[in-house]
Amino acid sequence: MLSRLFVVDPMARKSLERLVAEIDVERLSEGEAYARLPELVSLLPTSVIGRLVGFREGREQDALLVRGVPLGVMGAVATPRDPVEAPRTILGYHAVALAMIGVLGTPFGYRTQQLGRLVNNIAPSPAAGRSENVGIGSSKPFDLHTEDAFMRRGPSYLMLACVRNPQSVPTTVSGLSKEDVGPWLEPLREPRYIVRTNPAQREWREDKLRPGPVIWGESDRPFLRFNAVGTTPVKGPGVDLAEKALNKLGAALLRNVQDLTHGAGDILVINNYRLCHARRAFRASFDGSDRWLLRVVAYRDPAEVAGLASFAPYPTLEPR
Ligand SMILES: O=C(O)CCC(=O)C(=O)O
Ligand SMILES: [Fe+2]
């Protein structure tokens, strides 16, 4: 199992309902929510904090699906037709999602993605209806990728908090099992792979992307920097071997896929160095009732956090 399910217990649900209701009345800006992150984390039920820390420290599961977070006012907000321009108001559900990923790391936005939003909307946009490999697409799939694999060190964690998912379109996750790992992965450890950006990050200069490894870290639990599209080994001696290993990795990851079907109030956190994820094609109606996830990314490594250009009003990454 790549992921573990944690269903919020009735007592925790009650205290989450209070927290969500409080923030639903206050309505925060993204900056205010970040400034209040320590307080928001402290207001999470201890069972939820404990489970998140257990996930962070554990070696068995690389994704955790927390089920049963109350939506509060958010439940009645229509899925935005324009995910980027939609209001940035932090309601109770957003605040709980931010606090949860705040237990794992420092949440941040990209200045050049969704206009720098801290909480990105993964909702189908009519403008991107036919685009492949974008979060706001729908009729074309988003192939397997670790989030922002074009960076040498992408976000440590990715959160997808479901507001609604009427067609039960899953988020697919995949990774390498203990049985998969072996010497065949060695070529993928060479820092010779260029991983290009997906459409949402095209403002990063492609000519500045540095080649890096696709696999690194421990041999029995290796880390991944993977994108099924736009990855190529730099030409030179051994390029055939490098390409073969990459194809074999892609096939292994396709074999290992698991569908996680999000429902309203399900908050999925993924170790972005261990698992890649994808979304299948689906038919959107663009009438306010479509699938809607909130996406937040976070860094755990203080050296990466220090590289975030600005902490006002919240950590933001500038394209390099
Ligand atoms: O919609 C999904 O389930 C995943 C979307 C995604 O991978 C992304 O926005 O980066
Ligand atoms: Fe993604």
Side-chain angles (χ1 to χ4, degrees):
M1 284 302 282
L2 303 172
S3 77
R4 194 182 178 100
L5 175 68
F6 170 58
V7 182
V8 169
D9 54 276
M11 256 189 35
R13 167 105 189 169
K14 276 256 162 317
S15 80
L16 283 172
E17 277 168 0
R18 278 195 297 275
L19 174 57
V20 167
E22 190 184 309
I23 305 296
D24 275 345
V25 171
E26 286 194 56
R27 304 171 83 90
L28 308 177
S29 67
E30 289 178 303
E32 285 166 345
Y34 175 68
R36 286 175 59 176
L37 195 60
E39 176 202 346
L40 292 172
V41 169
S42 74
L43 292 172
L44 288 176
T46 49
S47 60
V48 172
I49 297 175
R51 193 52 74 106
L52 286 165
V53 174
F55 166 69
R56 192 187 74 191
E57 300 303 314
R59 294 173 61 87
E60 294 307 315
Q61 271 80 36
D62 296 304
L64 175 70
L65 182 60
V66 178
R67 174 155 292 164
V69 177
L71 288 178
V73 164
M74 194 70 181
V77 179
T79 303
R81 261 179 80 86
D82 187 334
V84 178
E85 294 288 350
R88 295 183 178 214
T89 314
I90 298 294
L91 294 170
Y93 187 61
H94 296 90
V96 168
L98 278 170
M100 280 178 46
I101 199 161
V103 175
L104 304 177
T106 300
F108 67 95
Y110 295 88
R111 188 177 58 74
T112 53
Q113 187 178 43
Q114 295 209 354
L115 299 175
R117 300 177 75 109
L118 181 59
V119 180
N120 285 195
N121 286 310
I122 305 304
S125 154
R130 289 174 199 282
S131 307
E132 295 176 325
N133 299 310
V134 279
I136 60 173
S138 49
S139 72
K140 296 277 166 55
F142 198 156
D143 290 328
L144 282 173
H145 61 284
T146 53
E147 203 70 350
D148 303 311
F150 66 92
M151 295 195 287
R152 284 289 291 271
R153 286 282 185 271
S156 318
Y157 293 102
L158 163 72
M159 158 176 286
L160 295 167
C162 182
V163 181
R164 65 181 60 93
N165 187 8
Q167 299 171 64
S168 299
V169 179
T171 298
T172 302
V173 295
S174 187
L176 291 172
S177 69
K178 286 193 181 79
E179 294 70 42
D180 290 321
V181 298
W184 67 273
L185 290 169
E186 283 312 307
L188 294 159
R189 291 179 176 272
E190 284 177 37
R192 70 178 300 163
Y193 294 89
I194 292 281
V195 182
R196 280 188 281 282
T197 52
N198 280 339
Q201 295 282 27
R202 281 285 143 78
E203 287 182 62
W204 288 65
R205 295 251 318 262
E206 292 244 324
D207 56 329
K208 281 197 168 173
L209 297 178
R210 287 178 301 137
V214 165
I215 293 282
W216 83 103
E218 292 172 280
S219 55
D220 60 334
R221 286 187 90 245
F223 293 143
L224 280 176
R225 183 178 79 103
F226 181 77
N227 195 341
V229 293
T231 304
T232 40
V234 173
K235 298 250 177 316
V239 69
D240 291 347
L241 207 66
E243 226 154 45
K244 240 169 104 174
L246 183 65
N247 292 338
K248 194 167 167 183
L249 174 66
L253 292 171
L254 269 183
R255 255 198 325 274
N256 293 352
V257 293
Q258 273 178 25
D259 279 348
L260 299 179
T261 304
H262 263 119
D266 283 356
I267 298 189
L268 174 65
V269 289
I270 299 174
N271 178 336
N272 191 46
Y273 290 178
R274 286 280 299 152
L275 296 186
C276 53
H277 61 278
R279 186 224 350 108
R280 297 176 199 284
F282 68 105
R283 189 189 296 266
S285 53
F286 310 118
D287 63 356
S289 71
D290 283 320
R291 181 181 192 262
W292 184 11
L293 312 180
L294 309 175
R295 181 185 62 199
V296 185
V297 293
Y299 269 132
R300 184 171 177 195
D301 180 349
E304 296 298 339
V305 172
L308 297 168
S310 148
F311 279 79
Y314 53 79
T316 301
L317 193 58
E318 291 285 327
R320 299 183 197 123

